[in-house]
């Protein structure tokens, strides 16, 4: 792998501590970091290289998916890290950073390849990108890459504006927009599921598929993030990014051996074909909800409006369910139901493909209906693929559905951040969101945001610990379906 300098903005923050250092460490243990690797952490706090390394060590001991097995190896990993005090707005700090980065590159005889990871609030993306460019940090004769976290804008206009500004310093192929759902092993497997399995490829159309259900539900509530969450809600926090990314990955049709560009191009085709909702169709196709008090696993929990930091009049959505249609030859007529919410009955991210049933007896017939075939893709916390099919009981002669595993993860798989950081260091953008996808996602969501803002969509309360408001069940029931596995 090519040598690289990893430059981390927000090095003293929570994401760095919980995810980024443990991910880098695990890549190191697996021999997946470049041979020549230098890292700089940046922050306003007056840390030294030593105190920085001690913090990284502590984060690894606390959050790494693997225990530290080799103390000497850990020490050598930590020695790659330097700390630099940097105020995002101070140009001198970038100049002194450049000096130090270059000294390390010379010491290690490294090409000046630099990856800038922005683990900071979105308001800092643009000034940092501009300062990287102006200071000369971004104009070496090696490569440069910019990795940014969500949110990418807060609506269509702000996303476009942010992209316009970033593009003054970084070209599209240099920008790696993280959507951590794309780093999940099971989401990545969607790429190969039908691409390399003719049996699924043959079935992946409206001829055989009745509907697709994509659900990401959580038991946690707003936690300590009221200031952020009350402004974004489930629609911007989960739906515009993670849920639509999963939809693209589930609906994609790929030729065998597709390149990264092809994957992203085909994803774009999916989102481009997403039928826009007209103003008058929104309330019938998008359900918004907010959790009320209830209990989760026997423990009483407060409603959203009683959470610390949430105004008692908040109309913020903590739950979204929506029916979408992809208007192309593969998917026309197949509803895609998407659901995401906080303070629900369980933590589960799952895609269920429900197949059509050409054998279905007519409503007048006295025959017992058989259950539909289902392909169940568990993204997390379980990672598995299973198939529901019907079996005839030899004694009673009745059909009964059985679910058999096709694939089960062996556990101990790399975390999303490991996959994504590895790919970014390699320059592989397959599992990063291209600007076209981000823009088209906002384009679909924007009219919904407008209707929410105008209060044209009812806000349904649902009890914490439930599967969301009744209206979410009714959304499927009117098409003759129901959410699978709500028990
Ligand atoms: C984050 C959201 O992007 O994803 C959180 O901001 C949410 O609100 C989280 O809890 C869910 O991620 P995961 O990987 O736990 O399903």
């Amino acid at each position: 792998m090519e040598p690289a300098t990893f430059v981390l903005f927000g090095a003293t923050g929570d994401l760095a501590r919980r995810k980024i250092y443990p991910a880098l460490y695990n890549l190191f243990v697996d021999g997946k970091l470049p041979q020549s690797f230098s890292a700089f952490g940046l922050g306003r706090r007056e840390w030294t290289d030593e105190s920085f390394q001690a913090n990284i060590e502590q984060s690894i001991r606390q959050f790494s998916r693997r225990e530290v097995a080799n103390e000497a190896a850990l020490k050598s990993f930590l020695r790659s890290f330097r700390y630099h005090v940097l105020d995002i707005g101070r140009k001198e700090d970038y100049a002194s950073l450049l000096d130090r980065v270059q000294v390390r590159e010379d010491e290690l005889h490294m090409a000046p390849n630099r990856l800038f990871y922005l683990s900071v609030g979105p308001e800092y993306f643009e000034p940092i990108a501009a300062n990287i460019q102006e200071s000369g940090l971004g104009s070496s004769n090696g490569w440069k890459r910019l990795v940014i976290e969500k949110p990418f804008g807060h609506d269509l206009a702000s996303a476009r504006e942010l992209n316009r500004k970033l593009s003054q310093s970084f070209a599209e192929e240099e920008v790696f927009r993280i959507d951590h759902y794309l780093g999940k092993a099971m989401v990545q497997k969607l790429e190969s599921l039908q691409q390399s399995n003719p049996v699924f490829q043959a079935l992946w159309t409206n001829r055989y598929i009745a509907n697709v259900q994509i659900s990401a539900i959580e038991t946690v509530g707003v936690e300590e993030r009221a200031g952020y969450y009350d402004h974004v809600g489930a629609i911007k926090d989960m739906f515009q990014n993670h849920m639509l990314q999963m939809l693209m990955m589930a609906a994609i049709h790929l030729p065998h051996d597709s390149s990264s560009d092809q994957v992203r191009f085909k994803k774009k085709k999916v989102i481009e074909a997403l039928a826009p909702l007209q103003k008058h169709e929104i309330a019938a196709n998008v359900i918004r909800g907010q959790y009320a008090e209830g209990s989760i696993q026997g423990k009483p929990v407060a409603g959203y409006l009683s959470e610390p930091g949430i105004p008692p009049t908040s109309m913020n959505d903590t739950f979204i369910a929506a029916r979408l249609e992809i208007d192309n030859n593969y998917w026309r007529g197949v509803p895609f139901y998407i659901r995401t919410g906080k303070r629900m009955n369980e933590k589960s991210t799952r895609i269920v493909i429900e197949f059509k049933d050409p054998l279905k007896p007519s409503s007048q017939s006295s025959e017992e209906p058989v259950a539909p075939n289902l392909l169940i893709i568990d993204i997390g916390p379980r990672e598995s693929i299973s198939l529901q099919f019907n079996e005839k009981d030899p004694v009673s002669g009745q059909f009964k559905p059985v679910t058999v595993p096709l694939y089960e993860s062996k556990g101990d798989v790399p975390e999303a951040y490991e996959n994504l950081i590895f790919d970014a260091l390699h320059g592989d953008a397959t599992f990063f969101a291209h600007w076209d996808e981000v823009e088209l996602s906002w384009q679909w969501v924007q009219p919904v945001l407008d209707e929410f803002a105008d209060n044209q969509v009812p806000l349904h309360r649902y009890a914490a610990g439930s599967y969301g408001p009744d209206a979410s069940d009714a959304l499927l029931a009117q098409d003759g379906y129901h959410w699978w596995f709500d028990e």
Side-chain angles (χ1 to χ4, degrees), residues 180-194 200 204 245-250 252 349-351 375-386 405-411 413-416 419 431:
H180 82 277
Y181 270 57
L182 287 178
K184 291 183 187 260
M186 293 305 294
V187 174
Q188 299 197 345
K189 280 195 200 308
L190 291 172
E191 183 197 3
S192 55
L193 184 68
Q194 32 91 31
F200 291 125
W204 227 247
Q245 282 293 339
M246 282 198 285
L247 175 136
M248 285 181 247
M249 290 300 292
I252 201 170
T349 305
R350 175 183 288 147
I351 301 179
L375 184 70
I376 305 143
I377 303 164
D378 275 301
I379 309 282
R382 263 180 59 132
E383 298 183 319
S384 66
I385 302 176
S386 37
L406 301 181
Y407 166 82
E408 267 173 342
S409 154
K410 311 252 173 324
V413 286
E415 284 193 2
N419 292 330
F431 294 114

Side-chain angles (χ1 to χ4, degrees), residues 19 149-150 179-181 184 216-218 220-223 225 228-229 232-234 236-238 241-242 340-342 347-349 379-381 416-417:
K19 299 287 180 193
E149 289 281 341
K150 68 157 233 227
D179 183 305
H180 82 277
Y181 270 57
K184 291 183 187 260
I217 58 179
E218 310 184 80
V220 293
V222 62
E223 302 178 284
R225 301 160 80 211
Y228 156 78
Y229 194 79
V232 294
K236 299 184 195 177
D237 185 47
M238 293 288 290
N241 37 64
H242 306 324
T340 183
K342 292 207 181 282
K347 168 76 181 166
S348 140
T349 305
I379 309 282
Y417 276 89

